[in-house]
Amino acid sequence: MDKLKIEGGKKLFGSVKISGAKNAALPILCAALLTDEPVILHNVPALHDVNTLIKVLQQIGVNVEFNPHDPENITLTAKNIKSPIANYDLVKKMRASILVLGPLLARCGHAVVSLPGGCAIGARPVDQHIKGLQAMQAHIEIAHGDINASIHNLDKKLQGAKIVTDMITVTGTENLLMAACLANGRTILENAAREPEVADLANMLVKMGAKIQGIGTDCLIIEGVEKLHGTEHKIMPDRIETGTFLCAVAAAGGEITITHTQPTTLDAVLDKLIEAGLEISIEDNIIHAKMDKRPKPVNIKTTEYPGFPTDMQAQFMALNCISTGASTISETIFENRFMHVQELARLGANIHIDGKVAFVNGVHELQGATVMATDLRASACLVIAALAAHQDTTIIERIYHLDRGYSHIEDKLGILGADIQRIKE
Ligand code: EPU
């Protein structure tokens, strides 16, 4: 397993280009299952999670062509779906594989998708995905760890329905949205997730011929159509990667320019960074950020979009660890997303947890140590903490988590002047 070696205390300077958003790319790749025509995608990020999903799609029978001159450009053609099955070997690697369930069922009339198990950050059930599909008249049986979904109507089509999910779920909204596009009649999805990645998927579905109203709101109204066609789409920029680089410069100090991003998707994060003392200026899709002091402590409470994203909680924890005072971080989305706390403690952070709240007392300096990445955003948090650990060496183990969601992070940080090295094993 690869490790990262980081010599802390180097300020960051220069320019970094943001990749396509992981959490938009994953559902958008699955949307290719809804048509037998080619879907051309641009700005697809080079990530392990994307590769895993491509393997799931290839096993189903999707033809995936890569452009050798532009690896971020992929064409998917789901002309011949040979087996509408996503088995455990791949689903256990990435729970977002559940996103094939809605489109496969809508397109083929049946699908078998392994039930994702628990995850390091929480139990993460998929009951709302199932409840929504059942409301659309799908017959669902869970047996031997698989979700067996089928449609028993003569025309093998889902039926439009009014669905109110018990809580806001991002991939749940995406699964039901994709399924509803090919259903008979109108589906109303209430309590829908408003995350920009859901809107990116919906906009691409509209280009494929779907009829969707309310994009970007918590009520999506979908008029099912007989058929969707192929299209071409550029994946939106990754707002969490953007936020992670901003936290890195806020922690390490320096002055950076972030390009190919979408600042309008980051309001809650930018507000908190400004409160922490980061100087920010924005021009279209570019963010300039400068930091020449220790960050001020900021209180964070994670909520659904447009609130503060849970996917930025760990990175802000790293920042608060070296801030000039005390702060609280409340995690309301996932029940176990504080695993980075014990690793930060190994770097000298002063944090204690009481239920869903972490109380952080900023220390003047973090020290280097060997730490272990436990999940994707926890890994990013450790990288940020290590960059800020003054003239000290940190080894981060199990960085395969990082490779799932950050494209070439050590190269991008290296260009900004960080002393960061991958140790291959
Ligand atoms: N939930 C249920 N039942 C469901 C669905 C969700 O109880 O059927 C609960 C979850 O357990 C959680 C809450 O609802 O407590 C919200 O979960 P959600 O379904 O919104 O999460 P997700 O769709 O599985 C996506 C992102 C996550 C991100 C969350 C929250 C993708 C592929 N993943 O997960 O991204 O943290 O939304 O914004 O879009 C990451 O990128 O590091 C990551 C974990």
Side-chain angles (χ1 to χ4, degrees):
M1 276 186 262
D2 292 0
K3 300 173 184 178
L4 279 182
K5 182 176 176 211
I6 298 176
E7 301 288 342
K10 303 266 189 307
K11 289 188 191 305
L12 304 179
F13 292 96
S15 173
V16 62
K17 180 181 171 205
I18 294 303
S19 299
K22 167 179 86 76
N23 290 347
L26 297 175
I28 283 173
L29 285 160
C30 293
L33 288 167
L34 291 164
T35 175
D36 58 6
E37 294 178 10
V39 169
I40 302 167
L41 298 178
H42 303 283
N43 208 29
V44 180
L47 300 172
H48 282 192
D49 272 7
V50 167
N51 295 341
T52 304
L53 187 62
I54 285 175
K55 282 194 191 124
V56 173
L57 295 172
Q58 284 172 326
Q59 277 191 359
I60 289 168
V62 179
N63 182 48
V64 184
E65 284 168 65
F66 299 88
N67 180 339
H69 305 294
D70 175 9
E72 294 177 347
N73 178 340
I74 297 180
T75 303
L76 301 110
T77 312
K79 197 171 175 57
N80 303 309
I81 294 185
K82 56 176 198 268
S83 74
I85 297 173
N87 62 35
Y88 187 56
D89 285 350
L90 291 171
V91 176
K92 75 177 176 201
K93 282 194 183 164
M94 192 192 59
R95 35 180 318 110
S97 311
I98 188 72
L99 283 164
V100 300
L101 179 62
L104 272 181
L105 184 59
R107 172 89 187 277
C108 307
H110 63 286
V112 181
V113 177
S114 189
L115 189 65
C119 156
I121 62 177
R124 303 182 75 181
V126 291
D127 55 307
Q128 299 303 306
H129 304 230
I130 292 171
K131 172 182 137 173
L133 292 172
Q134 283 171 329
M136 297 168 85
Q137 313 274 301
H139 183 84
I140 297 197
E141 224 177 79
I142 297 185
H144 309 292
D146 287 332
I147 305 169
N148 289 284
S150 52
I151 305 172
H152 291 182
N153 313 332
L154 281 179
D155 64 358
K156 298 274 177 226
K157 292 193 80 174
L158 291 165
Q159 303 301 310
K162 182 168 178 180
I163 302 165
V164 189
T165 46
D166 294 357
M167 80 288 295
I168 299 172
T169 155
V170 175
T171 49
T173 301
E174 292 164 344
N175 233 337
L176 299 175
L177 170 63
M178 289 188 277
C181 289
L182 290 180
N184 276 331
R186 171 181 291 192
T187 300
I188 302 177
L189 289 180
E190 284 193 1
N191 210 19
R194 286 185 283 164
E195 268 64 7
E197 293 77 11
V198 179
D200 201 25
L201 167 67
N203 286 326
M204 135 111 172
L205 290 167
V206 168
K207 287 195 226 165
M208 293 171 75
K211 294 202 172 126
I212 305 170
Q213 284 172 44
I215 295 175
T217 75
D218 62 358
C219 181
L220 294 169
I221 303 173
I222 306 113
E223 297 290 345
V225 294
E226 194 61 38
K227 231 174 144 19
L228 292 178
H229 50 76
T231 192
E232 194 163 346
H233 186 77
K234 183 174 176 191
I235 311 277
M236 65 173 284
D238 198 314
R239 63 192 167 104
I240 306 301
E241 188 193 19
T242 306
T244 301
F245 278 101
L246 289 170
C247 281
V249 71
E255 188 168 359
I256 66 169
T257 300
I258 295 184
T259 68
H260 299 77
T261 184
Q262 199 174 325
T264 49
T265 59
L266 277 148
D267 289 345
V269 171
L270 295 178
D271 280 358
K272 287 291 168 187
L273 284 165
I274 291 167
E275 201 182 317
L278 188 68
E279 290 171 43
I280 290 178
S281 65
I282 294 172
E283 289 166 51
D284 301 328
N285 289 337
I286 296 176
I287 303 177
H288 301 283
K290 183 177 172 192
M291 190 73 163
D292 54 12
K293 51 189 172 294
R294 261 175 85 190
K296 288 185 228 151
V298 288
N299 296 329
I300 303 287
K301 183 176 181 185
T302 64
T303 55
E304 296 87 1
Y305 192 84
F308 187 90
T310 173
D311 292 343
M312 283 302 303
Q313 178 257 106
Q315 300 87 319
F316 268 77
M317 178 95 73
L319 199 55
N320 275 341
C321 283
I322 51 157
S323 71
T324 50
S327 56
T328 57
I329 298 194
S330 310
E331 172 58 55
T332 75
I333 306 291
F334 292 112
E335 63 273 20
N336 195 28
R337 213 174 195 181
F338 278 147
M339 277 186 309
H340 38 285
V341 167
Q342 292 316 319
E343 301 304 305
L344 287 169
R346 290 182 51 74
L347 299 177
N350 179 352
I351 309 169
H352 98 190
I353 302 175
D354 189 359
K356 291 180 169 182
V357 185
F359 297 86
V360 185
N361 276 306
V363 296
H364 195 74
E365 271 183 14
L366 292 173
Q367 306 142 16
T370 298
V371 289
M372 200 187 288
T374 49
D375 68 76
L376 169 56
R377 308 304 170 187
S379 319
C381 147
L382 295 175
V383 170
I384 292 166
L387 292 172
H390 278 269
Q391 285 148 23
D392 219 347
T393 309
T394 298
I395 305 284
I396 306 178
E397 295 187 342
R398 298 201 181 169
I399 56 152
Y400 57 86
H401 291 292
L402 204 59
D403 295 330
R404 292 184 54 183
Y406 289 92
S407 185
H408 308 295
I409 191 166
E410 74 270 27
D411 298 339
K412 289 187 181 186
L413 283 168
I415 289 168
L416 294 177
D419 188 341
I420 179 168
Q421 206 186 320
R422 181 179 290 253
I423 304 170
K424 290 226 171 255
E425 289 214 341

